[in-house]
Amino acid sequence: MMTVVRSPQAATDAASTHSVVSVRGARMAFGERVLWDALDLEIVPGEFIAVLGPNGSGKTTLLQVLLGLRHLTAGEVLVDGRPPGRGSDRIGYIPQQSTLEADLPLRARDLVGLGLDGHRLGLGPLGPGARRVRRRRIDAAMAEVGATGYADAPLARLSGGEQQRLRVAQALVGEPSVLLCDEPLLSLDLASQRTVAMLIEIRRRTAGTPVVFVTHEINPVLPLVDRVLYLVDGQFRIGPVEEVMTTEVLSELYGTRVDVLRVRDRLVVVGAEEVPHHVHGPDE
Amino acid sequence: MNDIFDRLVSFDGTGELLTLPFVQRALIAAAVLGLVAGLLAPLVVARGMAFAVHGTSELAFTGGAAALVLGIEVGLGAVLGSVLAALVFGLLGLRQRERDSVIGVVLAFGLGLGVLLLALYDGRASNKFGLLTGSIVSVDSTNLWVLAACATVVVGTLVVWYRPLLFASTDPGVAAARGVPVRLLSPLFAVLIGLTTALAVPAVGAVLVLAVMITPGAAAARVSASPLAGTVIAVVVAEVALLGGTVLSLGPGLPISGYVAAIVFLCYLVCRLIGRVRAG
């Protein structure tokens, strides 16, 4: 298991520095349906925010807002002090593991390379010097996640765990100021879950890169989480795990009896999954 | 049996034919087509667009047939038909199942319309047949300017947009997150397919466009997962098939398309074998 060094001190120290992500008075509504309103969230360097909630509560929509792919109905969002634009180098994005077609024309290093400059126009660096610099950056990103051994392997032949390590490298190779993760541990075995979470954690500790981690299952990252943003059907709550993940708070959010139990080092939420949720959002 | 083989493979007069200007023009057209088709094929395979390419080619046939009846340049009609079809398919977006059924619907309609148009045409029968199976004569009648313009647009677009296209084709989720206009690239790529298809129809015919637009990419994918190496292999396979098929078709005086399809299929089998041996 990973060692836990989560100090409340870190959060207060960081608050004095500038926030990397600011969400102010944010409202997101699709017609009548309000995903959230009056959402304020300041994310400081080194912070790990878990975004939890049932399907359709707007977790993915929030990521899309941070990525600049969707506009808020009201309020503002800033990443590094600027509104997030399309094609931003400032954000690293890790998606959930997906099944890949066998004839996908990518090797492991190509996936990481796309994370570095795949969004740019033109044919890329053509001179030998520039090509060497590019190659070195990609090699370094792969070494960081322990993927050097299969750098030239076809991506589709790799296991889900190996693919997700590469996803971390793909997100980190551009030196982003914030890391957005959309269920990156889903459908991975326990050992791979632990490895991928650890790789994200290492970057947070060494470079102070804050992490926004969307998940439906908090336990694999429980020791890492500084604050939880819990979204349920237009309601939300933000705070440290011990303040949000309680029987009282979740029962209030869900509007029904929900029990939160601590079993050894795990949190077990009973009752939340039976709540019939709303019509799905446009993206979930 | 031997008779059939002799009839299929013969180099009687091949040497003389190669000196003729119309044969040389056909070879140039085949070489240009091989380049653009080979460049696009790996992306077509990565995007799972084999059926869309087939649908596009059938509408190139419809456009060509309409041009015959209207008495305008056949190549121009083919370009218009296939680009229009490609745009429709491209705008359908990325949802595979839905797209497949719409392509099927449009394809059937276009093919039926083309058959009717050809029946209305009273000109030379070889013109009609050429649209479906291709012929060296119809390659020659393609306006070389149409060919050059289409090839320039395709290659030029790839030079500028190759990396975002590869990103959007292989990893659309992260590409969108990085700001690649994934939705916009779908119709753009479709237009490139439309232009290339229109070039391919006179040579290999509407029925066999897949032979040059899919098979080289599928063959390359068996040998290498590297985008660069895969593209080089696809171009080589497409060139070998198109140039080889054109030359082989000269002696027997049979349609190019059959030879192209046979060679490209052979290349595919060899690439599969290499892939199998390598994987151990």
Side-chain angles (χ1 to χ4, degrees):
Chain A
M1 206 48 222
M2 271 160 274
T3 44
V4 190
V5 200
R6 190 164 51 79
S7 63
Q9 194 60 40
T12 35
D13 283 352
S16 56
T17 67
H18 79 289
S19 22
V20 182
V21 175
S22 300
V23 180
R24 290 173 196 152
R27 173 187 171 88
M28 183 53 99
F30 297 100
E32 295 275 280
R33 187 163 130 68
V34 178
L35 285 183
W36 64 78
D37 195 10
L39 175 65
D40 293 300
L41 179 62
E42 300 288 326
I43 303 175
V44 296
E47 216 180 353
F48 194 116
I49 309 269
V51 181
L52 292 151
N55 288 338
S57 58
K59 304 187 296 268
T60 301
T61 307
L62 179 67
L63 284 192
Q64 288 176 330
V65 167
L66 296 177
L67 287 165
L69 297 176
R70 219 178 250 287
H71 291 296
L72 288 169
T73 314
E76 71 166 349
V77 56
L78 298 173
V79 177
D80 258 359
R82 282 175 290 159
R86 287 185 151 272
S88 169
D89 286 342
R90 295 169 281 156
I91 297 175
Y93 175 73
I94 304 178
Q96 65 184 59
Q97 195 255 324
S98 53
T99 321
L100 302 172
E101 298 288 334
D103 52 9
L104 190 77
L106 291 183
R107 296 163 299 169
R109 65 165 62 254
D110 300 314
L111 185 83
V112 179
L114 285 175
L116 184 63
D117 56 17
H119 57 298
R120 289 185 197 284
L121 299 183
L123 289 175
L126 295 173
R131 288 181 67 93
R132 212 174 307 126
V133 169
R134 178 178 190 271
R135 196 183 164 87
R136 214 174 290 146
R137 282 187 78 176
I138 294 170
D139 284 340
M142 280 191 294
E144 206 177 311
V145 300
T148 308
Y150 43 87
D152 293 306
L155 194 60
R157 294 244 183 89
L158 300 176
S159 72
E162 290 168 331
Q163 285 175 17
Q164 285 308 85
R165 283 177 189 235
L166 290 164
R167 288 292 183 190
V168 176
Q170 184 190 33
L172 294 181
V173 69
E175 304 291 334
S177 7
V178 57
L179 206 48
L180 303 187
C181 312
D182 194 359
E183 301 268 17
L185 307 183
L186 203 67
S187 73
L188 295 189
D189 59 74
L190 273 175
S192 297
Q193 286 189 2
R194 225 166 268 162
T195 312
V196 170
M198 186 189 69
L199 291 170
I200 293 169
E201 174 64 2
I202 289 172
R203 174 59 69 115
R204 173 168 84 114
R205 295 213 169 267
T206 54
T209 313
V211 179
V212 179
F213 196 98
V214 167
T215 180
H216 70 280
E217 172 59 68
I218 192 175
N219 283 307
V221 289
L222 188 58
L224 315 178
V225 174
D226 292 313
R227 282 192 293 164
V228 171
L229 165 58
Y230 208 116
L231 299 161
V232 185
D233 204 14
Q235 310 284 308
F236 65 87
R237 195 66 70 90
I238 302 174
V241 177
E242 52 274 20
E243 283 175 25
V244 175
M245 302 298 286
T246 65
T247 297
E248 293 70 36
V249 169
L250 291 197
S251 294
E252 198 192 316
L253 274 175
Y254 278 97
T256 182
R257 175 71 192 263
V258 173
D259 289 292
V260 180
L261 312 167
R262 234 181 212 282
V263 182
R264 285 189 281 172
D265 55 357
R266 292 172 63 83
L267 282 177
V268 181
V269 180
V270 183
E273 59 283 345
E274 283 106 48
V275 176
H277 41 73
H278 231 277
V279 194
H280 283 191
D283 49 274
E284 282 167 317
Chain B
M1 187 68 200
N2 260 340
D3 287 352
I4 297 179
F5 186 80
D6 286 345
R7 176 113 171 72
L8 283 174
V9 181
S10 139
F11 292 96
D12 286 347
T14 302
E16 277 164 61
L17 283 165
L18 281 173
T19 60
L20 298 178
F22 88 90
V23 172
Q24 289 171 353
R25 279 199 296 275
L27 282 171
I28 292 173
V32 172
L33 174 61
L35 176 69
V36 284
L39 288 175
L40 288 179
L43 291 173
V44 171
V45 171
R47 296 174 80 95
M49 286 184 76
F51 194 43
V53 168
H54 186 59
T56 305
S57 66
E58 301 301 359
L59 276 108
F61 159 73
T62 310
L68 270 180
V69 173
L70 295 173
I72 59 169
E73 181 79 47
V74 176
L76 215 58
V79 171
L80 287 178
S82 62
V83 169
L84 196 71
L87 265 178
V88 171
F89 299 149
L91 290 174
L92 294 177
L94 288 167
R95 229 166 257 175
Q96 187 86 35
R97 289 180 60 89
E98 197 183 342
R99 203 175 62 185
D100 273 1
S101 52
V102 179
I103 291 169
V105 169
V106 176
L107 187 160
F109 171 70
L111 208 53
L113 193 65
V115 168
L116 279 181
L117 287 167
L118 272 195
L120 288 176
Y121 174 67
D122 331 307
R124 274 174 34 215
S126 71
N127 285 351
K128 300 184 184 183
F129 205 54
L131 269 180
L132 277 173
T133 59
S135 78
I136 195 149
V137 188
S138 47
V139 176
D140 184 50
S141 67
T142 317
N143 191 322
L144 276 180
W145 286 109
V146 175
L147 182 86
C150 288
T152 309
V153 169
V154 173
V155 174
T157 308
L158 284 181
V159 165
V160 179
W161 284 95
Y162 185 78
R163 280 189 293 177
L165 259 177
L166 180 70
F167 205 170
S169 304
T170 53
D171 193 9
V174 177
R178 290 306 297 269
V180 173
V182 175
R183 289 217 186 121
L184 202 79
L185 287 179
S186 181
L188 178 89
F189 187 69
V191 169
L192 298 186
I193 287 182
L195 291 174
T196 310
T197 301
L199 295 185
V201 166
V204 293
V207 184
L208 283 171
V209 165
L210 292 181
V212 292
M213 298 272 306
I214 308 292
T215 315
R222 292 281 157 186
V223 183
S224 175
S226 152
L228 181 65
T231 305
V232 171
I233 294 167
V235 170
V236 169
V237 167
E239 292 289 1
V240 167
L242 278 161
L243 292 174
T246 307
V247 171
L248 277 181
S249 76
L250 291 176
L254 294 170
I256 300 174
S257 52
Y259 293 91
V260 172
I263 295 173
V264 89
F265 183 61
L266 210 65
C267 290
Y268 176 74
L269 290 182
V270 169
C271 286
R272 268 200 91 116
L273 198 68
I274 295 172
R276 177 74 61 84
V277 171
R278 274 225 200 128

